[in-house]
């Protein structure tokens, strides 16, 4: 399929990608309005509102359909159609531009490989990575706007997205570990680690041993646990805690589906591992799983510390599953870099949000998505030239540095809560005197 795609003229590819962008925008809008926690009858999907009148075939056409749906302004409010229309137009414009960035210009590969002859040899590989990331882009667009609307990110986006990332990484390991032997025009050749989607100690044979299998199964089990109720009450001992946890889990209607996902995942992990030492499919799957663990684990730890310090939920768990999905797509290095970029992405998002809708509270998910996109687009600089070399120097200190920063954040939030409580108490006393 990729060879057939590459054989098309570049102008035809750009045109087809623009059409694909329109269709992706329509799918994103469907997810935003119909796969959220509180579905709304906006758009051509689902049952029509009684006041909206019957559906028309034109309503299903991207962009043009939203122009036709303006007739429902009296039902959904003024300008309801503008945002979904802009989402479809933005993706139609973005997909060809991203293809040029990934494949034609080769901006994700080391600079020495951006000569036309070298890029031609890498065209199939980078086209595959581009297609892989389009899935992530679609899910992040939907998650961003659902988070804007409802301040939550539904599992129906992040759970299938994470599974898709793991399956793709296991089938086509080059999506994460594109180490290839490249011949240059001057006759020289070298092995190049194209986009640095690698584990820090990938050559270590222990990754293909029982140790690697235990790590993979442990990560998968913790992720499935995170999708359950996650509440373990220890005040009555471990036996009672397990009993309470199982009872609360069974009360949920989705426990059978979650159990099936866990068992199927363990079987799949075992199968890929059984292909034998040195198989790249196992390394691709393990890399995706470690990205899941690091991406979700960072946000989960911050959520726990913040909640303990503030004595209230500091961050929605949807942010945890979102970052786990992102890590499964781009690996642990990219997920870590995206998280540390998120405060800077927040500045951009807040400015745009202020201009469009005014001063309203913002969720954290859009920051993570924007930071992820920036991390990917600037991958050689952000990850290859900064994060990986820094990691090589500070590898032994990185975990301790993160824990220290986590502790500092907890202390700061604790005093923030004390100051806030004191100010609230003082304000309450003044109000009572008045």
């Amino acid at each position: 399929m990729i060879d057939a795609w590459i054989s098309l003229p570049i102008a035809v590819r750009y045109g087809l990608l623009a059409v694909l962008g329109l269709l992706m925008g329509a799918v994103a809008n469907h997810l935003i309005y119909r796969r959220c926690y509180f579905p709304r009858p906006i758009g051509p999907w689902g049952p029509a509102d009684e006041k909206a009148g019957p559906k028309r075939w034109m309503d299903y056409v991207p962009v043009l359909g939203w122009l036709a749906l303006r007739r429902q302004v009296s039902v959904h409010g003024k300008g309801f159609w503008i945002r979904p229309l802009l989402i479809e137009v933005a993706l139609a414009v973005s997909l060809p531009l991203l293809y040029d960035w990934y494949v034609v210009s080769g901006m994700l590969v080391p600079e020495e490989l951006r000569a036309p002859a070298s890029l031609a040899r890498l065209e199939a590989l980078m086209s595959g990575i581009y297609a892989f990331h389009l899935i992530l882009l679609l899910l992040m667009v939907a998650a961003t706007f659902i988070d804007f609307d409802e301040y939550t990110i539904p599992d129906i986006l992040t759970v299938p997205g994470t599974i898709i990332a793991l399956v793709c990484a296991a089938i086509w390991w080059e999506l994460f570990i594109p180490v290839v032997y490249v011949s240059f025009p001057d006759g020289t050749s070298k092995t190049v680690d194209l986009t640095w989607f690698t584990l820090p100690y990938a050559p270590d044979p222990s990754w293909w041993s029982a140790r690697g299998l235990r790590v993979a199964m442990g990560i998968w089990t913790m992720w499935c646990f995170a999708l359950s109720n996650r509440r373990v009450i220890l005040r009555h001992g471990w036996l009672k805690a397990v009993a309470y946890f199982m009872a609360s889990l069974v009360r949920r209607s989705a426990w059978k589906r979650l159990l099936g996902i866990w068992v199927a995942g363990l079987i799949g992990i075992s199968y890929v591992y059984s292909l034998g030492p040195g198989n790249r499919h196992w390394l691709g799957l393990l890399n995706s799983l470690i990205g899941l663990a690091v991406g979700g684990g960072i946000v989960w730890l911050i959520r726990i510390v913040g909640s303990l310090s503030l004595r209230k939920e500091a961050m929605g768990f949807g942010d945890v599953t979102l970052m786990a999905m992102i890590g499964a797509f781009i690996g642990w290095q990219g997920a870590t870099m995206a998280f540390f970029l998120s405060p800077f992405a927040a500045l951009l998002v807040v400015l745009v949000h202020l201009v469009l809708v005014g001063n309203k509270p913002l969720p954290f998910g859009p920051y993570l998505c924007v930071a992820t996109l920036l991390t990917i687009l600037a991958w050689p600089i952000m990850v290859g030239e900064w994060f990986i070399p820094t990691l090589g120097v500070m590898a032994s200190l990185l975990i301790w540095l993160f824990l220290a920063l986590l502790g500092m954040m907890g202390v700061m939030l604790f005093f923030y809560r004390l100051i806030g409580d004191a100010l609230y108490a003082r304000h309450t006393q003044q109000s009572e005197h008045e």
Side-chain angles (χ1 to χ4, degrees):
M1 291 178 62
I2 291 182
D3 291 339
W5 168 258
I6 292 174
S7 66
L8 296 174
I10 189 65
V12 174
R13 280 182 267 172
Y14 284 146
L16 292 175
L17 288 172
V19 174
L20 177 61
L22 291 174
L23 297 176
M24 280 180 57
V27 173
N29 283 321
H30 171 72
L31 294 173
I32 291 166
Y33 292 110
R34 300 303 303 169
R35 300 302 174 185
C36 52
Y37 282 114
F38 302 101
R40 289 174 288 166
I42 294 177
W45 319 280
D49 190 283
E50 294 179 357
K51 301 178 182 178
K55 301 284 181 65
R56 304 174 186 176
W57 69 268
M58 176 65 76
D59 298 342
Y60 294 89
V61 179
V63 179
L64 297 179
W66 292 105
L67 296 176
L69 286 167
R70 288 184 299 171
R71 67 183 186 273
Q72 299 180 357
V73 164
S74 60
V75 177
H76 304 303
K78 184 179 179 181
F80 79 94
W81 54 275
I82 296 176
R83 188 183 77 176
L85 183 148
L86 292 178
I87 289 173
E88 293 175 359
V89 171
L91 286 175
V93 173
S94 298
L95 260 61
L97 293 177
L98 287 173
Y99 185 77
D100 182 86
W101 191 265
Y102 274 67
V103 181
V104 179
S105 300
M107 299 303 292
L108 295 191
V109 303
E111 190 172 355
E112 64 266 28
L113 293 181
R114 294 177 190 169
S118 299
L119 290 177
R121 295 181 176 89
L122 302 174
E123 195 169 8
L125 176 62
M126 299 310 299
S127 295
I129 295 175
Y130 168 79
F132 185 50
H133 287 176
L134 285 188
I135 302 172
L136 175 61
L137 176 64
L138 171 62
L139 295 170
M140 289 198 303
V141 169
T144 293
F145 288 99
I146 291 176
D147 212 7
F148 277 139
D149 294 340
E150 300 184 347
Y151 297 95
T152 187
I153 300 172
D155 289 344
I156 198 170
L157 293 182
T158 54
V159 172
T162 302
I163 294 173
I164 289 171
L166 294 172
V167 171
C168 289
I171 293 175
W172 194 8
W173 59 269
E174 287 97 337
L175 295 174
F176 277 99
I177 318 165
V179 182
V180 294
Y181 192 73
V182 179
S183 299
F184 293 97
D186 61 2
T188 62
S189 59
K190 63 181 291 190
T191 299
V192 180
D193 193 353
L194 288 182
T195 49
W196 298 284
F197 287 127
T198 57
L199 293 167
Y201 308 109
D204 188 342
S206 65
W207 285 123
W208 284 279
S209 68
R211 171 204 175 195
L213 180 62
R214 288 194 299 270
V215 168
M217 287 187 166
I219 291 171
W220 179 254
T221 299
M222 283 300 298
W223 182 71
C224 291
F225 168 76
L227 300 178
S228 65
N229 65 7
R230 301 175 297 277
R231 293 176 62 86
V232 179
I233 303 172
L234 297 175
R235 67 172 68 101
H236 301 297
W238 278 101
L239 292 178
K240 287 288 186 180
V242 173
Y244 290 149
F245 173 77
M246 296 303 298
S248 62
L249 182 62
V250 171
R251 280 199 298 268
R252 299 181 65 196
S253 59
W255 75 271
K256 293 181 180 179
R257 181 165 60 248
L258 181 58
L259 179 62
I261 291 173
W262 178 58
V263 173
L266 292 180
I267 293 173
I269 290 170
S270 300
Y271 171 75
V272 178
Y273 174 77
S274 70
L275 296 177
N279 83 83
R280 296 289 187 173
H281 302 286
W282 170 248
L283 196 55
L285 175 60
L286 185 60
N287 193 59
S288 185
L289 283 166
I290 291 178
L292 182 159
V294 172
I298 289 174
V299 182
W300 199 351
L301 283 173
I302 290 176
R303 180 178 187 268
I304 292 172
V305 172
S307 299
L308 290 174
S309 300
L310 295 173
R311 291 186 179 175
K312 63 180 181 179
E313 188 174 275
M315 186 182 298
F317 206 82
D319 297 321
V320 178
T321 56
L322 172 66
M323 203 63 206
M325 181 189 75
I326 290 171
F329 269 97
I330 66 174
W332 75 270
Q333 300 98 324
T336 305
M337 194 71 249
F339 178 79
F340 285 109
L341 272 181
S342 59
F344 302 99
L347 297 175
L348 175 62
V349 175
V350 167
L351 289 175
V352 174
H353 198 258
L354 282 173
V355 172
L356 294 179
V357 299
N359 187 19
K360 292 184 179 180
L362 274 174
F364 191 55
Y367 306 158
L368 296 175
C369 292
V370 172
T372 298
L373 185 59
L374 293 175
T375 298
I376 294 174
L377 293 179
W379 192 273
I381 297 173
M382 299 304 302
V383 178
E385 297 179 12
W386 186 84
F387 184 77
I388 297 298
T390 302
L391 180 67
V393 176
M394 300 180 58
S396 60
L397 301 176
L398 192 63
I399 294 178
W400 297 109
L401 177 62
F402 173 73
L403 292 176
L405 292 174
L406 196 64
M408 291 172 59
M409 185 197 75
V411 172
M412 291 173 61
L413 290 177
F414 174 75
F415 283 106
Y416 171 81
R417 177 177 61 81
L418 292 181
I419 294 171
D421 290 346
L423 292 175
Y424 177 76
R426 182 179 178 183
H427 176 74
T428 302
Q429 291 176 355
Q430 290 178 348
S431 299
E432 290 175 352
H433 288 305
E434 294 174 0

